[in-house]
Amino acid sequence: MHATSEKPSEGSSLLITVRAAIVFIVLCGIVYPLACTGLAQALMPGHANGSLIEDAAGKTVGSELIGQTFTDPKYFQGRVSSIDNKAEASGSNNYAPSNPDMLKRTKDSIEAWQTANPDVPIGKLPIALITNSGSGLDPHITPQSAEVQIPRISKLTGIAAADLEKLVDKHTEGRDLGLFGEPRVNVLRLNIDLQTWFK
């Protein structure tokens, strides 16, 4: 006697497909996101909520992950951003070093630097202050990029250069795990601290 295998009907195949789809929608679209959100809120709420930064009055003024543009010369300036630090437009123009627009922007940045910082020789200008980061949203500058701004800020605020140097040292973050990345300064955190000196 030969065993015969019955093929499922089209109706039962459709029912199995619908059930599987519902299960995966619930698991992947509801259960998994809720579990991830719950774990993130429990283990690292600050990071999960955008790494937001508050000022001394408790007002949210930005995120430590996204750069801001500071136009007042008495504040530390961050990196150039071709997208004006707009997070919804992350990215930058992929210009070659010979691109005319790139050359003009760099020249304009150097001239603006010389005008705002006449006491600092152009040879001491870190390239990071006149070049765009890959995302256009870099919230950090190098410690050297902060230090070369001290003479300008000291002159405009009356804060001693030695005190500003201590402020930069205080906000200088080391390499991650002592190995990865470079020492850096979060410009927003530095400027919030700076505000308390001249308010």
Side-chain angles (χ1 to χ4, degrees):
M1 212 173 155
H2 296 287
T4 57
S5 58
E6 292 184 6
K7 291 183 178 180
S9 66
E10 287 184 9
S12 70
S13 291
L14 179 62
L15 189 59
I16 291 170
T17 303
V18 169
R19 285 177 178 169
I22 291 172
V23 168
F24 280 108
I25 287 171
V26 172
L27 285 176
C28 300
I30 299 174
V31 176
Y32 178 73
L34 284 177
C36 288
T37 301
L39 281 172
Q41 289 292 342
L43 300 176
M44 49 183 76
H47 293 300
N49 293 323
S51 300
L52 301 178
I53 297 177
E54 297 179 347
D55 62 13
K59 179 183 175 184
T60 299
V61 293
S63 168
E64 65 180 18
L65 304 176
I66 299 173
Q68 291 191 22
T69 302
F70 294 90
T71 55
D72 192 328
K74 71 184 180 204
Y75 289 100
F76 287 92
Q77 309 295 311
R79 296 190 68 175
V80 174
S81 174
S82 58
I83 57 170
D84 296 323
N85 289 302
K86 294 177 181 175
E88 69 273 13
S90 176
S92 62
N93 297 321
N94 194 19
Y95 288 150
S98 59
N99 182 281
D101 290 339
M102 175 72 167
L103 292 171
K104 183 180 184 307
R105 191 193 74 192
T106 304
K107 182 181 177 184
D108 291 345
S109 295
I110 292 172
E111 289 175 356
W113 166 265
Q114 289 178 304
T115 301
N117 302 273
D119 300 325
V120 181
I122 192 65
K124 290 190 175 180
L125 170 60
I127 195 168
L129 285 179
I130 57 170
T131 56
N132 202 359
S133 67
S135 67
L137 301 171
D138 194 347
H140 298 97
I141 54 176
T142 63
Q144 294 78 16
S145 296
E147 289 163 4
V148 295
Q149 300 184 59
I150 286 175
R152 178 192 77 241
I153 295 169
S154 179
K155 183 183 288 186
L156 292 174
T157 63
I159 302 171
D163 290 329
L164 289 170
E165 288 170 6
K166 290 176 184 175
L167 202 60
V168 170
D169 287 342
K170 174 184 172 184
H171 287 276
T172 298
E173 305 168 25
R175 291 179 171 86
D176 295 330
L177 302 176
L179 298 170
F180 305 107
E182 295 294 329
R184 58 202 178 274
V185 179
N186 187 286
V187 181
L188 178 56
R189 286 195 179 280
L190 178 61
N191 281 332
I192 290 173
D193 208 350
L194 175 64
Q195 267 189 324
T196 63
W197 286 74
F198 52 75
K199 263 195 166 183

